[in-house]
Amino acid sequence: MATVETADTAVAEEGGVRRRDFINIAAVSFAGAGAVATVFPLVNQMNPSADVLALSSIEVDISAIETGQSIKTSWRKQPIFIRNLTATEIAEANAVDVAGLRDPQTLAERTTAGKENWLITLGVCTHLGCVPLGAAQGEIKGEFGGYFCPCHGSHYDTAARIRKGPAPKNLEVPEHEFLSDTVVKIG
Amino acid sequence: MSFPWAKQYTPTTDFGQWMDKQLPLPRFVYNSVGAGYPAPRNLNYMWNFGSMAGLFLVIQIVTGIILAMHYAANAEIAFDSVEHIMRDVNSGWMIRYAHANGASFFFIAIYLHIGRGLFYGSYKAPREMLWLLGVVIYLLAMATAFMGYVLPWGQMSFWGAKVITGLFEAIPLVGKPIQELLLGGFAPDNAALNRFFSLHYLLPFVIVGVVIMHIWALHIPGSNNPTGVDVKGPQDTVPFHPYYTAKDGWTIGLALMFFTALMFFLPNALGHADNYIPANPLSTPAHIVPEWYFWPWYAVLRAFTFDFLFIPAKLLGVLAMFSAILVWFFLPWLDKSPVRSGTFRPKFKIFFGILVIDVLILGYCGGAPAEEPFVMISQVAAAYYFAHFLIILPLLSRMEKPEPLPNSITESVTGKPLNTAS
């Protein structure tokens, strides 16, 4: 091989470790770290962009919702149910033995103190994401008087807790805050 | 193919052997860019730009696929969607600047790669097909870059699309219908933007296909080298890996440093401010120029300000611009000199230097306003450009007396005759 030095002919130094081994490992590690640093933004670009995150909280005027009524609104492109519970519905929800539920939660844990009649949940079934019925006038409310998901038959009670059917969890309560008696901020 | 002394791929693991029997992809890679490809031992740094162009092609494809996730090819919202990428998408500004400047670096690499081929006679037998495929890649890259520049739908995008499709109008009789067919309308609008986006996404993959054929065609005769002398034996070559992977890696690292410096600190240095103004069909920017990598050909286009015989100036300019590149297809048969490398051709060396300066002058004129003295300079430079390929090269190959060639690559490297070198 003329004057071309090959790896085999290079002289081994201290303990069989050659300077070239060090250069090899250093170069490959450096390139590897660079590759990881490069890949991060290339993947992170798929996360929600600033304009999507800017829509992450909404304020809803609830003054027009009569007792027993509910409305559907949209938050982060997902349906939100805001329900003004009747005294009977509150009593029904409180009468349930919480320990026996699939996802044990009391009505009080799912509402704001002093505003127990306002039940605010995502309108997204925890099974596979359909929109349950029961929020609009005349829709089936299911066996427990709350919501009923027509896709795979999940029944939710008046506190929107899962009672029957395949859904694993209660309808999710989004982070919310009453700014006044008539305005609620979601998100 | 390859040389008989090429290292053989021998899978050591059970999985490697199983894979090699069913789909010998690792063997293919090993023989193409691994230790199984013996490359001349004397390749200089001018041989580094092929792999660099390949790297920037990959960068363009990766960043381009990402940009397409956020871009909307609709004339109403295209401009806003680019601003959305710049302001809202996580790291979107970085990915867009990488894509915009990556195009420039692709062309820098490809121009140096073409220049290498021109000087060292890499287009001569037995590598004509390799050269022809390279010219095809270059033409595809130009079409892709042009259509990509239209997508942001700014003022330069719009008027660039208008001017370039306007070139086709110069074709006699069918020109106007062809222009309308290309645009899907009478001026660039939604139809044109959508088809440009579709093709801008498609063509890079066509380029990848032609690149694979280009590398295939390269591996049949093997790489040319600075002496232009054929490889005569094992002592003339070294395995591509690790010798040239390491050498290419070093210049790629250097190129990436310049690339990121430009991308982060001067991201708009090669762009045009006018393209940050939304497309307006009723107002033309004062000074329309294409991107820098088109400047020499743009100068050739604008050099024709006079009718010749019965051919109108506009048609002449268009024909000349396309001919300036199409002439490369005939290069292997225009330069008949049996000596490949310019190193051993004393007169060719001088004319090659003049050609490089000539193209740089054309490039400067192409970026300058269409005024005197630039028009006159473009005319002289364009005339010389064609004279180089059509007159000087054929004559040189008859009249020039080349210097003696080394007997072998090894002899040129070691200064010793072949037999005693090892």
Side-chain angles (χ1 to χ4, degrees):
Chain A
M1 274 296 242
T3 55
V4 179
E5 184 195 348
T6 63
D8 309 321
T9 60
V11 185
E13 292 160 18
E14 307 155 37
V17 179
R18 293 172 304 141
R19 292 158 67 97
R20 185 167 292 180
D21 292 334
F22 173 78
I23 294 170
N24 254 333
I25 293 167
V28 171
S29 319
F30 195 75
V36 171
T38 308
V39 164
F40 176 76
L42 299 185
V43 174
N44 187 41
Q45 49 85 19
M46 301 229 268
N47 274 321
S49 57
D51 60 326
V52 171
L53 294 176
L55 300 174
S56 61
S57 69
I58 54 164
E59 289 177 17
V60 186
D61 182 359
I62 53 173
S63 57
I65 310 173
E66 304 279 342
T67 306
Q69 278 189 333
S70 50
I71 62 159
K72 283 186 202 176
T73 182
S74 172
W75 174 67
R76 293 182 184 174
K77 299 271 158 118
Q78 299 195 89
I80 285 279
F81 295 159
I82 302 179
R83 187 159 175 164
N84 191 348
L85 297 172
T86 62
T88 336
E89 285 171 336
I90 294 172
E92 268 177 42
N94 286 333
V96 175
D97 173 21
V98 173
L101 294 177
R102 187 177 301 168
D103 183 9
Q105 267 186 321
T106 62
L107 180 63
E109 284 167 355
R110 294 170 61 74
T111 51
T112 310
K115 304 250 180 215
E116 277 87 359
N117 59 322
W118 291 108
L119 177 66
I120 300 174
T121 59
L122 281 185
V124 179
C125 179
T126 56
H127 179 222
L128 292 172
C130 292
V131 179
L133 301 172
Q137 205 89 48
E139 281 181 359
I140 304 164
K141 295 191 173 193
E143 288 178 23
F144 300 89
Y147 300 105
F148 169 69
C149 183
C151 290
H152 306 94
S154 290
H155 297 256
Y156 296 89
D157 68 11
T158 54
R161 292 173 296 201
I162 180 64
R163 296 295 290 275
K164 186 181 168 188
K169 294 270 187 196
N170 302 333
L171 288 187
E172 189 186 334
V173 176
E175 190 188 319
H176 63 275
E177 181 191 353
F178 285 88
L179 299 179
S180 71
D181 280 351
T182 55
V183 177
V184 63
K185 181 180 160 212
I186 300 172
Chain B
M1 50 127 279
S2 190
F3 301 110
W5 59 87
K7 283 192 193 172
Q8 286 303 306
Y9 175 71
T10 37
T12 47
T13 61
D14 285 349
F15 174 75
Q17 285 164 2
W18 177 82
M19 189 73 183
D20 194 46
K21 222 178 282 170
Q22 307 211 352
L23 179 71
L25 190 64
R27 174 184 294 274
F28 178 73
V29 171
Y30 183 91
N31 288 338
S32 315
V33 291
Y37 175 49
R41 61 190 284 188
N42 61 336
L43 301 185
N44 63 27
Y45 277 118
M46 288 311 294
W47 265 259
N48 285 31
F49 295 103
S51 64
M52 195 184 291
L55 171 80
F56 280 104
L57 179 61
V58 170
I59 290 178
Q60 288 307 87
I61 289 177
V62 170
T63 53
I65 287 171
I66 288 173
L67 291 172
M69 293 179 190
H70 303 283
Y71 170 78
N74 180 304
E76 297 290 316
I77 53 174
F79 186 88
D80 291 341
S81 76
V82 172
E83 285 306 302
H84 161 74
I85 290 169
M86 296 299 288
R87 292 155 195 259
D88 293 338
V89 174
N90 301 312
S91 311
W93 57 274
M94 188 184 93
I95 293 158
R96 175 164 176 261
Y97 280 150
H99 196 71
N101 289 299
S104 284
F105 274 78
F106 177 76
F107 277 100
I108 290 171
I110 219 172
Y111 279 132
L112 291 167
H113 191 62
I114 293 171
R116 190 282 319 271
L118 286 174
F119 183 77
Y120 291 107
S122 300
Y123 48 84
K124 292 182 187 178
R127 298 185 182 84
E128 298 97 317
M129 183 53 76
L130 176 61
W131 170 261
L132 299 181
L133 287 167
V135 180
V136 170
I137 293 170
Y138 178 62
L139 289 170
L140 285 169
M142 291 211 297
T144 310
F146 159 66
M147 287 189 278
Y149 197 60
V150 174
L151 301 183
W153 212 238
Q155 275 289 66
M156 279 293 179
S157 301
F158 181 89
W159 292 98
K162 185 131 179 170
V163 168
I164 299 300
T165 54
L167 298 178
F168 291 89
E169 205 193 342
I171 302 167
L173 301 174
V174 293
K176 192 82 184 161
I178 286 180
Q179 188 198 2
E180 284 168 16
L181 178 80
L182 289 173
L183 286 174
F186 308 100
D189 202 352
N190 207 36
L193 181 61
N194 264 285
R195 66 191 59 175
F196 282 8
F197 179 58
S198 169
L199 293 172
H200 183 71
Y201 205 115
L202 167 72
L203 287 184
F205 297 99
V206 177
I207 293 177
V208 169
V210 184
V211 165
I212 289 171
M213 288 197 282
H214 188 68
I215 297 171
W216 187 4
L218 166 71
H219 283 77
I220 289 168
S223 298
N224 186 24
N225 69 84
T227 65
V229 174
D230 284 327
V231 166
K232 299 215 167 79
Q235 68 286 347
D236 286 344
T237 65
V238 287
F240 189 83
H241 177 78
Y243 290 95
Y244 289 115
T245 45
K247 189 176 178 181
D248 285 359
W250 139 244
T251 45
I252 278 174
L254 215 57
L256 286 176
M257 274 170 57
F258 286 114
F259 173 57
T260 44
L262 192 70
M263 184 179 129
F264 286 115
F265 299 114
L266 295 161
N268 289 306
L270 300 173
H272 304 290
D274 277 309
N275 221 27
Y276 284 101
I277 302 169
N280 180 355
L282 302 179
S283 152
T284 309
H287 177 43
I288 302 188
V289 280
E291 293 284 78
W292 68 267
Y293 35 80
F294 293 143
W295 285 354
W297 321 125
Y298 197 57
V300 172
L301 170 77
R302 295 194 304 189
F304 287 82
T305 51
F306 48 86
D307 297 354
F308 181 69
L309 300 175
F310 53 90
I311 310 170
K314 184 176 174 181
L315 180 58
L316 271 179
V318 173
L319 289 176
M321 186 181 71
F322 285 112
S323 308
I325 297 159
L326 296 182
V327 71
W328 293 353
F329 278 119
F330 301 95
L331 182 57
W333 298 278
L334 289 169
D335 179 6
K336 292 278 206 187
S337 170
V339 175
R340 292 198 192 102
S341 173
T343 317
F344 303 104
R345 299 181 60 190
K347 296 204 173 67
F348 170 85
K349 214 186 272 184
I350 296 165
F351 284 108
F352 177 81
I354 298 173
L355 179 73
V356 171
I357 295 166
D358 185 62
V359 171
L360 291 176
I361 291 172
L362 276 175
Y364 183 81
C365 293
E371 295 160 3
E372 291 301 350
F374 302 117
V375 175
M376 203 260 288
I377 296 173
S378 308
Q379 287 169 345
V380 174
Y384 182 82
Y385 178 88
F386 284 107
H388 175 89
F389 288 103
L390 300 175
I391 301 170
I392 295 173
L393 281 185
L395 285 183
L396 261 190
S397 43
R398 281 161 197 265
M399 295 159 66
E400 185 182 43
K401 186 176 180 296
E403 289 165 8
L405 295 176
N407 288 316
S408 75
I409 292 171
T410 301
E411 189 188 294
S412 80
V413 175
T414 60
K416 289 180 234 161
L418 187 58
N419 294 333
T420 58
S422 51

